[in-house]
Amino acid sequence: MPGGPVVPSATHVPVTHVPVTPGPLPYGPLPYDPVPPRLSAALLAAALLAPLAACSPGTTGSTDTAGTTGTTSATAAAQASPGAEDRPVTVAVTPTGKQVPAGEPVRVTATGGTLTSVTVTDADGRTLPGKITADGRTWTSGRKAAPGAAYEVKAATRSAGGTAGSSTAAFATAPATKVNKVDWRPGGATTVGIAQPISLVFDHPVRNRAQVEKQLKVTTSNGTEGSWGWLRDWSGRDRVDWRPRTYWKPGTKVTLDAELNGTDSGADGGWFVRDYRTAFTVGAGQIVKVDLDRHRLSLVRDGKTLRHIPVSGGTPGGDKRSWRGTAVLMVKEGTINMNSETVGLGNAYDKMVDHSMRLTWSGMYAHAAPWNAKFFGRSNQSSGCIGMSDADAAWFYAQVRPGDPFEITGKDTKGVVAPGNGFGAWNLSWAEWQEKSALR
């Protein structure tokens, strides 16, 4: 036989040599094997080529990105029963079912392939953002499932062989038995003074302070350094404030994203069932300096003194004294009724007061006080507020804005403004303030 010696045999049968196209096989010469003369050339060619199909590296086929099986040679059996890499991907979603506990991230896992995208949407069309791991097998939401919500989970997958697929699941969380709400300052789209903190006051106690604080994100236009601090508000409720290390730089743009929906306050606090967002801009670098011993108020803007105003502060020696330290203008209230009984001073006064500017929750204001005109610039004879003439009060009221700091000095005062009595956080050192964060 061409290409190799004839192997002797006890019974030698004549062989009909059949030419095979296209040429010699790549595996070398075949050993002698008797072939019946009646075997057709076509059958012999098929028999010789069969080992090629069985040994070819492309026998299992391939799949392109659209999930179309490639044209590599495959047997009919392989086409009818695909290999393991062509099997559908198994997708598991946690949590699952109805009335499941809220407050946990959503987790989607793939077995037998990878995740290419995951979308988790509630009944109102809001989505939970999340990320797929580097190996493509797990997706975890960045937000927690909120109470009383129904979610639909859609996952797009790809098998090991490249076949695209999809999976859909649904689950619903149990409703909240108690809801916690937030009152926040400052309001959105406002311009504030350089001492304005971000302040959140909660309806119910917050025991899971670290978990809540993690959901509060402050973004500034210039990378301002700051920290959260937990306080007891003057109302007795839990409160958390964010203040910069030093006064804001004028022109800074600030955004708060309180992503609280789905966060548990802890025992007796209830669940948060919505997010909160506010944005504001810092105005001019304006500071109000009040010298109670000299009975004078000075308005300083961008380092320049605009005006000195004669004033009269709180009466020395008793409960009518003023506070010292840094107070922050909380709100401009205009003309209001002031009643001494509301601040524990008996029936000392009950009158309408113009150009009222609140400095503390305990009742200290700067305002017009024409009835005290003879004491302006001479003596402190008020019930704790900083009084001035009608004309000076009108001018001053038009110049200042909420968030402006009032730096108050004087020997005979009630003491320093407490952090929860208005916005008194500036009376703590930076190190003391940082210690009030739940994440320290």
Side-chain angles (χ1 to χ4, degrees):
M1 183 176 185
V6 175
V7 180
S9 175
T11 303
H12 184 75
V13 179
V15 177
T16 301
H17 297 282
V18 180
V20 179
T21 302
L25 295 176
Y27 302 101
L30 292 175
Y32 174 82
D33 196 19
V35 180
R38 62 182 176 271
L39 186 61
S40 68
L43 289 177
L44 181 57
L48 292 174
L49 287 175
L52 282 180
C55 299
S56 170
T59 58
T60 58
S62 62
T63 305
D64 61 19
T65 56
T68 303
T69 301
T71 60
T72 308
S73 176
T75 65
Q79 292 173 349
S81 178
E85 65 271 25
D86 293 324
R87 293 172 184 168
V89 179
T90 300
V91 175
V93 177
T94 305
T96 183
K98 298 180 180 179
Q99 300 293 303
V100 300
E104 296 295 333
V106 180
R107 185 180 176 89
V108 182
T109 57
T111 304
T114 57
L115 299 165
T116 56
S117 69
V118 175
T119 304
V120 180
T121 310
D122 68 13
D124 294 325
R126 295 171 297 198
T127 59
L128 292 182
K131 292 183 178 180
I132 298 175
T133 54
D135 63 8
R137 300 187 182 280
T138 304
W139 180 94
T140 305
S141 67
R143 300 289 305 276
K144 299 173 182 178
Y151 291 97
E152 182 181 53
V153 182
K154 293 183 178 181
T157 61
R158 190 169 297 283
S159 71
T163 302
S166 63
S167 179
T168 302
F171 69 93
T173 54
T177 56
K178 190 174 186 177
V179 173
N180 207 344
K181 297 181 180 180
V182 179
D183 176 28
W184 71 96
R185 294 170 185 260
T190 57
T191 300
V192 302
I194 58 175
Q196 176 69 54
I198 301 170
S199 184
L200 307 179
V201 181
F202 303 95
D203 281 4
H204 303 304
V206 178
R207 309 296 184 206
N208 295 339
R209 291 185 171 183
Q211 291 300 317
V212 169
E213 191 173 328
K214 287 178 182 177
Q215 301 304 119
L216 307 177
K217 297 177 175 60
V218 176
T219 305
T220 68
S221 59
N222 53 18
T224 301
E225 180 184 5
S227 177
W228 290 101
W230 289 86
L231 312 169
R232 177 70 64 180
D233 187 63
W234 190 258
S235 64
R237 296 183 293 171
D238 284 345
R239 170 177 150 192
V240 64
D241 285 8
W242 193 97
R243 54 151 276 202
R245 182 169 186 167
T246 58
Y247 290 154
W248 294 104
K249 182 179 179 180
T252 303
K253 296 185 183 300
V254 187
T255 300
L256 165 68
D257 286 299
E259 298 179 338
L260 293 172
N261 191 17
T263 303
D264 184 8
S265 298
D268 302 321
W271 290 86
F272 295 100
V273 296
R274 58 160 291 188
D275 295 335
Y276 299 84
R277 179 183 175 90
T278 188
F280 58 92
T281 302
V282 180
Q286 192 158 263
I287 300 173
V288 181
K289 297 182 178 293
V290 180
D291 187 336
L292 294 173
D293 295 338
R294 298 178 67 183
H295 321 294
R296 189 176 75 177
L297 176 154
S298 302
L299 178 60
V300 180
R301 181 180 298 160
D302 297 327
K304 297 180 180 180
T305 300
L306 300 187
R307 182 180 292 191
H308 295 299
I309 297 176
V311 297
S312 180
T315 304
D319 291 339
K320 293 183 177 180
R321 290 175 295 175
S322 299
W323 295 100
R324 72 175 185 275
T326 300
V328 177
L329 178 53
M330 300 176 68
V331 61
K332 295 163 68 173
E333 298 182 7
T335 300
I336 61 172
N337 176 258
M338 291 192 179
N339 188 319
S340 56
E341 292 182 351
T342 64
V343 291
L345 294 178
N347 61 354
Y349 57 86
D350 183 6
K351 61 181 66 179
M352 300 302 294
V353 179
D354 295 331
H355 307 302
S356 299
M357 296 159 274
R358 180 183 282 274
L359 301 178
T360 70
W361 285 124
S362 61
M364 185 168 76
Y365 284 77
H367 60 76
W371 55 88
N372 254 4
K374 63 182 178 180
F375 301 118
F376 297 152
R378 297 182 177 87
S379 177
N380 293 324
Q381 295 295 324
S382 79
S383 294
C385 294
I386 299 167
M388 61 197 82
S389 70
D390 281 329
D392 283 337
W395 178 86
F396 182 65
Y397 190 90
Q399 302 300 313
V400 295
R401 58 167 50 97
D404 284 343
F406 280 58
E407 297 177 349
I408 305 168
T409 59
K411 295 177 182 179
D412 194 358
T413 64
K414 287 182 181 179
V416 175
V417 178
N421 185 14
F423 300 136
W426 296 104
N427 296 309
L428 299 179
S429 69
W430 177 237
E432 290 172 328
W433 179 251
Q434 286 180 300
E435 287 300 318
K436 290 187 170 295
S437 167
L439 300 179
R440 291 286 172 178

